[in-house]
Amino acid sequence: MADDPEEGMLSWDESVFRDEHVFEIDYVPETFKHREGQMESLTYALRPAVRGSRPLNVTVRGPPGTGKTTAIQKLFDEVGAQTSDVRTIRVNCQVNSTRYSVFSRLFEGTFEYEPPSSGISFKKLFGQIAEKLVEEDDVLVVALDDVNYLFYENEASDALYSLLRAHEEYPGAKIGVIVVSSDPALDVLEELDSRVQSVFRPEDVYFPVYDQPEIVDILAERVDRGFHDGVISRDTLEYVADLTADSGDLRVGIDLLRRAGLNAEMRASRTVERQDVEDAYETSKYVNLSRSLSGLTDNERTLLEVIAHNDGDQAGDVYDEFHERTDLGYTRYSEIVNKLDQLDLIETEYADVDGRGRSRSLSLTYEKDAVLERLE
């Protein structure tokens, strides 16, 4: 973009963005930096599949925003470029959090159309997938992304058991599984049933949090591809990287760059300034909160809203209001409390209460206003 003599202002049909899609969360970069070792381990595990054999199973672990999903997408693209005899299907377990919905997604990926919405049993659904694999002599590689959501719903062991034991019921079926967890507190192997542990035996690939220099390097490439030349200075980029490092989530930085660019455009400015970043951070810092909320059911959202209005109250008191609004029993209520706790949306603290024995209080992890605003 040439310099504008009118105080560097954008005209109505100009943009600071060269390609705004570069700053979308689902954008897959052409070069995937600082994850060479992890990609080598994943490639090693899937190499047998390219040769027509069952691949090694893998657990992929690491906090949110550390490149796990991008690694899977890059890996699957590479496998697809080498052979058409390996089917690769990524299942978003935040959306598909039951065994049946996981296999519905696998059916769709196998046949390229959705299964009937009702009237088909799990056994028949599973059978059609397996028979198709055997008939075409294909290898299936399933990535259960955000597998922690299957654990929250107590569906993980059943889903994995069906996948890992498929060859026993359908000889010739070759299926490998990559489980991807973003919950640092979850020990995948420890939480699985013994019947699954005995056949899973995965390779382990860990994705650590990016450090500040790595964040600068990754975001600089996004800036080069996504903004026009000279839109953001090195100092401002490093400020974005500092905020990103504090959050521990690369997605915060990517979202921050996009929102800061939009803020600059609102000012009709050709450059992104520090104030644009500071203003954008008030929204971008809640990227993980927004993502967690997007996967909640209506009842789970209702409970979180009740907790927000009764922050710090005892679980029994919170239940009374929740029951009044949903008519759900205490067992289901307790399961939802545990899920919200595992998602780090709330904190539970046990204490002795006079006349009531030992009870737990429920508190929000995030600011009340931020939660309620995103629940609307």
Side-chain angles (χ1 to χ4, degrees):
M1 246 182 332
D3 290 337
D4 188 347
E6 304 234 346
E7 301 180 2
M9 303 297 281
L10 286 172
S11 62
W12 68 273
D13 60 346
E14 290 182 305
S15 173
V16 298
F17 295 103
R18 193 195 312 270
D19 181 0
E20 193 173 345
H21 178 56
V22 167
F23 301 110
E24 296 289 345
I25 299 301
D26 61 354
Y27 174 77
V28 180
E30 289 185 25
T31 57
F32 188 39
K33 296 186 173 184
H34 307 295
R35 288 297 183 248
E36 292 80 6
Q38 288 83 354
M39 288 301 294
E40 285 179 10
S41 297
L42 288 168
T43 301
Y44 167 79
L46 261 64
R47 189 167 286 123
V50 178
R51 298 194 294 262
S53 300
R54 187 178 295 111
L56 303 177
N57 299 313
V58 186
T59 56
V60 174
R61 301 178 297 114
T66 52
K68 301 182 299 298
T69 297
T70 299
I72 297 300
Q73 291 172 316
K74 296 286 283 186
L75 180 73
F76 282 4
D77 286 347
E78 290 174 10
V79 170
Q82 291 185 48
T83 177
S84 60
D85 296 330
V86 179
R87 295 180 182 271
T88 55
I89 304 175
R90 172 182 163 265
V91 181
N92 180 354
C93 297
Q94 185 179 13
V95 177
N96 303 285
S97 59
T98 67
R99 180 178 68 161
Y100 191 90
S101 61
V102 166
F103 275 81
S104 293
R105 175 70 188 88
L106 296 181
F107 182 98
E108 183 182 353
T110 301
F111 291 95
E112 298 182 356
Y113 60 86
E114 294 183 4
S117 57
S118 61
I120 181 169
S121 67
F122 170 78
K123 184 176 177 62
K124 186 174 181 181
L125 189 73
F126 179 29
Q128 289 182 359
I129 296 168
E131 287 166 2
K132 179 79 168 176
L133 292 175
V134 174
E135 177 188 331
E136 300 193 355
D137 196 26
D138 283 346
V139 180
L140 173 62
V141 181
V142 179
L144 298 176
D145 203 356
D146 278 329
V147 74
N148 33 298
Y149 283 87
L150 288 181
F151 282 94
Y152 302 155
E153 301 295 340
N154 296 315
E155 294 274 350
S157 288
D158 286 344
L160 280 168
Y161 185 80
S162 297
L163 288 168
L164 297 169
R165 296 282 192 179
H167 62 281
E168 296 178 359
E169 190 168 351
Y170 300 93
K174 292 170 284 193
I175 301 175
V177 183
I178 303 172
V179 298
V180 185
S181 172
S182 294
D183 184 347
L186 175 67
D187 186 330
V188 170
L189 283 178
E190 185 68 25
E191 294 297 325
L192 288 170
D193 291 352
S194 57
R195 63 194 173 118
V196 182
Q197 290 177 354
S198 64
V199 292
F200 190 26
R201 298 190 295 275
E203 301 291 304
D204 184 60
V205 182
Y206 183 68
F207 285 66
V209 172
Y210 293 107
D211 62 27
Q212 205 269 0
E214 290 173 338
I215 291 170
V216 170
D217 195 25
I218 294 167
L219 294 184
E221 183 174 10
R222 298 274 178 137
V223 165
D224 289 344
R225 292 182 179 276
F227 284 131
H228 288 293
D229 295 343
V231 165
I232 186 167
S233 69
R234 183 71 180 188
D235 285 347
T236 304
L237 174 60
E238 290 188 353
Y239 178 54
V240 171
D242 288 341
L243 294 173
T244 306
D246 288 343
S247 74
D249 189 335
L250 185 66
R251 294 172 303 188
V252 169
I254 295 168
D255 189 69
L256 191 51
L257 286 172
R258 177 173 176 266
R259 292 183 186 276
L262 293 172
N263 287 346
E265 288 192 338
M266 284 287 288
R267 297 187 296 105
S269 172
R270 291 181 181 276
T271 58
V272 172
E273 305 299 337
R274 186 183 178 101
Q275 188 61 50
D276 295 318
V277 174
E278 291 177 355
D279 293 343
Y281 187 61
E282 290 307 305
T283 299
S284 294
K285 66 182 179 182
Y286 295 117
V287 163
N288 206 32
L289 169 61
S290 298
R291 182 172 177 274
S292 295
L293 294 182
S294 69
L296 297 183
T297 65
D298 289 344
N299 287 328
E300 291 162 354
R301 293 171 72 88
T302 297
L303 178 55
L304 192 61
E305 183 182 346
V306 171
I307 293 172
H309 289 299
N310 299 272
D311 202 13
D313 285 1
Q314 298 300 311
D317 297 329
V318 173
Y319 170 69
D320 291 339
E321 183 174 336
F322 176 71
H323 176 70
E324 198 173 296
R325 292 181 58 174
T326 65
D327 206 33
L328 289 177
Y330 197 88
T331 298
R332 181 56 187 150
Y333 162 72
S334 185
E335 289 173 350
I336 297 175
V337 167
N338 290 337
K339 178 177 178 178
L340 296 180
D341 188 18
Q342 290 167 322
L343 285 172
D344 203 27
L345 290 170
I346 66 171
E347 295 176 342
T348 62
E349 184 175 348
Y350 283 89
D352 293 321
V353 180
D354 289 343
R356 298 174 62 175
R358 193 159 176 77
S359 181
R360 60 178 172 174
S361 60
L362 309 179
S363 304
L364 292 176
T365 305
Y366 295 89
E367 292 88 342
K368 174 183 174 180
D369 289 345
V371 173
L372 290 176
E373 179 184 333
R374 286 159 179 78
L375 283 173
E376 291 178 354

